[in-house]
Amino acid sequence: MSGKPKLYYCYGRGRMESIRWLLAVAGVEFEEEILETREQFEALLQGGALLFQQIPMVEIDGMKLVQTPAILQYIAAKYNLYGKDLKERALIDMYVGGTTDLMNPIMLYPFIAPELQEAHLNKIRQLAHNRYFPVYEKILREHGNMYLVGKWFTWADVHLLEAILMVEEKFADLMADFPLLRDFKARISEIPTIKAFLQPGSQRKPVPDEKYVETVRRVLQLHHVT
């Protein structure tokens, strides 16, 4: 092995994208094993690499880690993006939990049956505008700092930026009501490692398209979500 973390997933965002974000922001180079066939997935299963028979899976520091939260927490702690003490970590976990709850239905959207997609999209808009973004706007206002937690940039900031960008891809006008979040996005996007990750040619994956959906269904044997 090269010593670089190795990521196992399909060519697309899904649950691996937050892991790519966190590694990239930490300035960590990583490799990817792109799964395109069911046979590749079954080989990982048969080799015992997938503890719970799921991806994403990340090889790092001699471990084969599964379960997205565990992977993200390990990376955040390893690269000093997890706060200075237990209280800050609790806040980071709480804020990341909120952005995860917002991002999950966006990730699910391409797999929704076509006749249900409009209603699902409306639900995403309502969640972002009425439940989640007002909370993060309030946190930024009350904390009075550049970042969500403490005085330093953390995993929570990375995850919030990812969520903002995902929502903007669906609803370009939605951020108009959240000036502090707009400022946060502009400010955080200028951090050098984030700026580099947002450039064409990085390992950031594109908005899911039909090819991605077909690949995931083939590899994981998924069908329309109803």
Side-chain angles (χ1 to χ4, degrees):
M1 291 182 60
S2 67
K4 298 177 183 178
K6 189 170 185 179
L7 284 51
Y8 293 77
Y9 207 69
C10 300
Y11 184 86
R13 291 183 180 177
R15 298 191 183 281
M16 186 64 88
E17 191 70 356
S18 292
I19 298 167
R20 297 186 186 103
W21 264 94
L22 201 54
L23 287 169
V25 169
V28 179
E29 294 183 0
F30 57 88
E31 299 175 348
E32 299 192 69
E33 179 79 17
I34 302 300
L35 305 184
E36 298 179 333
T37 67
R38 180 66 184 179
E39 289 72 23
Q40 288 176 284
F41 182 72
E42 289 179 348
L44 290 174
L45 289 175
Q46 293 166 8
L50 304 180
L51 189 61
F52 300 108
Q53 303 179 27
Q54 297 169 318
I55 49 175
M57 190 264 282
V58 175
E59 289 185 343
I60 184 171
D61 294 340
M63 299 181 291
K64 294 181 178 179
L65 295 180
V66 295
Q67 296 294 332
T68 307
I71 298 169
L72 289 167
Q73 287 165 357
Y74 182 81
I75 294 168
K78 179 177 174 69
Y79 296 107
N80 300 314
L81 294 168
Y82 208 6
K84 65 178 176 60
D85 56 30
L86 194 59
K87 288 185 178 180
E88 287 195 358
R89 289 176 184 174
L91 290 174
I92 290 167
D93 286 341
M94 184 167 64
Y95 298 160
V96 167
T99 41
T100 299
D101 287 346
L102 174 57
M103 291 158 65
N104 280 341
I106 301 176
M107 286 189 281
L108 185 63
Y109 173 75
F111 300 92
I112 296 290
E115 66 272 16
L116 301 176
Q117 286 187 342
E118 183 177 355
H120 189 81
L121 205 58
N122 289 335
K123 178 183 177 182
I124 293 169
R125 185 181 184 96
Q126 290 174 6
L127 285 172
H129 189 274
N130 300 337
R131 181 184 296 185
Y132 291 102
F133 280 177
V135 170
Y136 293 101
E137 186 85 357
K138 180 181 178 183
I139 292 167
L140 288 168
R141 182 172 60 250
E142 293 182 349
H143 186 47
N145 195 280
M146 292 176 60
Y147 309 116
L148 290 173
V149 178
K151 297 179 180 180
W152 309 107
F153 179 67
T154 72
W155 170 29
D157 301 302
V158 181
H159 219 244
L160 177 56
L161 177 61
E162 184 185 2
I164 290 171
L165 295 175
M166 288 175 69
V167 169
E168 283 189 319
E169 287 170 348
K170 299 297 183 190
F171 315 104
D173 64 329
L174 193 142
M175 294 296 293
D177 293 334
F178 304 102
L180 295 182
L181 284 178
R182 293 201 309 271
D183 291 345
F184 171 88
K185 173 198 166 188
R187 184 170 62 249
I188 298 300
S189 296
E190 289 301 313
I191 292 173
T193 52
I194 290 180
K195 191 171 185 177
F197 191 60
L198 292 173
Q199 296 302 310
S202 79
Q203 288 172 287
R204 186 185 182 209
K205 298 301 181 279
V207 176
D209 57 14
E210 290 185 5
K211 182 179 179 181
Y212 168 71
V213 172
E214 291 172 0
T215 300
V216 171
R217 287 191 178 131
R218 180 172 63 251
V219 172
L220 302 181
Q221 295 184 343
L222 293 178
H223 303 286
H224 280 309
V225 178
T226 60

